Amino acid sequence: MGRGDLTNAEWDRLESFLPRGGTRGGRWSDHRRVINGVLYRVRTGVQWRDLPERFGPWETVYKRHRRWSADGTWKMLLSKIQAAEDAAGRVDWDVSVDSTAVRAHQHAAGARKVPPRAPSKGGPHGDETGRSGFAETGRPAGGGGCLGECLGRSRGGLTTKIHLAADGHCRPLALLLTPGHYGDGPQLEPVLRQIAVPRIGVGRPRSRPDHVLADKAYTSRNNRRYLRRRGIAHTIPKQRDQRRHRLNRGSRGGRPTGFDSDHYKKRNTVERAINRLKGFRAVATRYEKRAYIYLGTVTLAALIIWLRT
């Protein structure tokens, strides 16, 4: 077992959730070896062709990662581990929301501007997760051009922004990609809608945090209205000009929003979750042309954080 590979305990937690067979009745290469190969690349950021020989053919490792990014296998594995942690009472539902910009390598640009190819017989929704050939004959809807592949241009060049919600133990609960020049505030609702931790047994997935913490970028009326409508307590500071505008309006300005400065100190959990994610070199710098493959890379990094925290 090499440095950074899955330990026996981590493998035991994942093995039962992995797909049992390949496409068209074929057989998968050894799951553990291939996952360790993908993990090695995510951790080090090397080119796929430079993977050590102990992981087998690099094409097999790359195609497995691309396929599982497309059909949602990485996301499914993350949900299973989150469900087990929640059932054991080890999830802190004081959720913090923030984003981080990721510099895109020059090789991340240049994706072909073509529509998604048609899925194979039965489509992606008629097959079991991880078993369809969808990633070989098609890809998720969307894509094409910089915006479609979540690439934004700014002074620093091409960037992608990762929006995430983290629990109180610095572990990502939900992930969302946008172009790097997109604002943070409008993404609060989409990020929170991504939270869906399944129940073990009967019941709908849990999607509502106990409390939400965010910085001033998320202080819009629409965000506060959305949180109140869902009955979610929140701690978000007001910007200085917004406080001044309310005071200038007198009684028409309404009551000031509540703000618990002691509770707000806990918002550092999302910053620490971002630091953990960016400890994976293939997350800290984007090399993938396709957004769905990069999202799979980030999701695998989040999965490893959950397994090792």
Side-chain angles (χ1 to χ4, degrees), residues 39-229:
L39 181 57
Y40 180 90
R41 189 263 172 182
V42 172
R43 182 173 59 85
T44 62
V46 300
Q47 294 186 5
W48 290 103
R49 293 175 182 270
D50 294 332
L51 284 176
E53 293 182 359
R54 65 187 177 93
F55 299 119
W58 71 267
E59 297 96 333
T60 300
V61 181
Y62 166 69
K63 289 179 180 179
R64 186 80 54 87
H65 177 55
R66 184 187 66 182
R67 182 184 297 117
W68 285 3
S69 298
D71 65 13
T73 299
W74 293 130
K75 185 176 181 179
M76 178 271 294
L77 293 174
L78 177 60
S79 297
K80 295 291 188 181
I81 298 302
Q82 289 175 342
E85 291 292 297
D86 188 42
R90 292 193 291 263
V91 177
D92 185 344
W93 285 95
D94 275 5
V95 173
S96 301
V97 179
D98 206 350
S99 71
T100 181
V102 175
R103 182 70 168 87
H105 193 271
Q106 60 182 359
H107 295 164
R112 290 185 298 171
K113 299 180 182 179
V114 295
R117 290 170 289 180
S120 58
K121 182 179 178 181
H125 303 292
D127 295 319
E128 181 183 345
T129 302
R131 296 194 62 175
S132 76
F134 178 60
E136 295 179 341
T137 58
R139 62 178 182 273
C146 283
L147 295 182
E149 299 298 346
C150 297
L151 289 172
R153 190 173 294 277
S154 61
R155 290 183 179 180
L158 292 176
T159 54
T160 295
K161 188 171 283 188
I162 304 174
H163 304 266
L164 71 154
D167 79 334
H169 299 303
C170 312
R171 298 174 297 188
L173 279 169
L175 298 162
L176 180 70
L177 299 184
T178 64
H181 62 279
Y182 276 29
D184 292 353
Q187 306 307 320
L188 176 68
E189 182 175 346
V191 169
L192 293 182
R193 289 188 183 278
Q194 292 290 322
I195 299 176
V197 178
R199 312 275 188 177
I200 295 182
V202 181
R204 293 180 296 177
R206 175 163 183 175
S207 60
R208 189 171 65 178
D210 293 334
H211 201 100
V212 168
L213 301 101
D215 60 19
K216 294 180 181 179
Y218 299 90
T219 188
S220 68
R221 291 182 178 179
N222 287 338
N223 286 341
R224 295 181 185 274
R225 189 180 300 118
Y226 167 75
L227 293 169
R228 286 195 298 268
R229 187 170 65 248

Side-chain angles (χ1 to χ4, degrees), residues 6-57:
L6 293 174
T7 64
N8 291 333
E10 293 163 358
W11 172 247
D12 290 340
R13 297 182 66 185
L14 287 179
E15 185 177 13
S16 61
F17 304 130
L18 294 172
R20 298 298 180 186
T23 60
R24 305 179 186 90
R27 297 177 60 185
W28 293 108
S29 298
D30 180 62
H31 276 320
R32 185 170 184 176
R33 183 180 67 177
V34 174
I35 292 176
N36 283 333
V38 179
L39 181 57
Y40 180 90
R41 189 263 172 182
V42 172
R43 182 173 59 85
T44 62
V46 300
Q47 294 186 5
W48 290 103
R49 293 175 182 270
D50 294 332
L51 284 176
E53 293 182 359
R54 65 187 177 93
F55 299 119

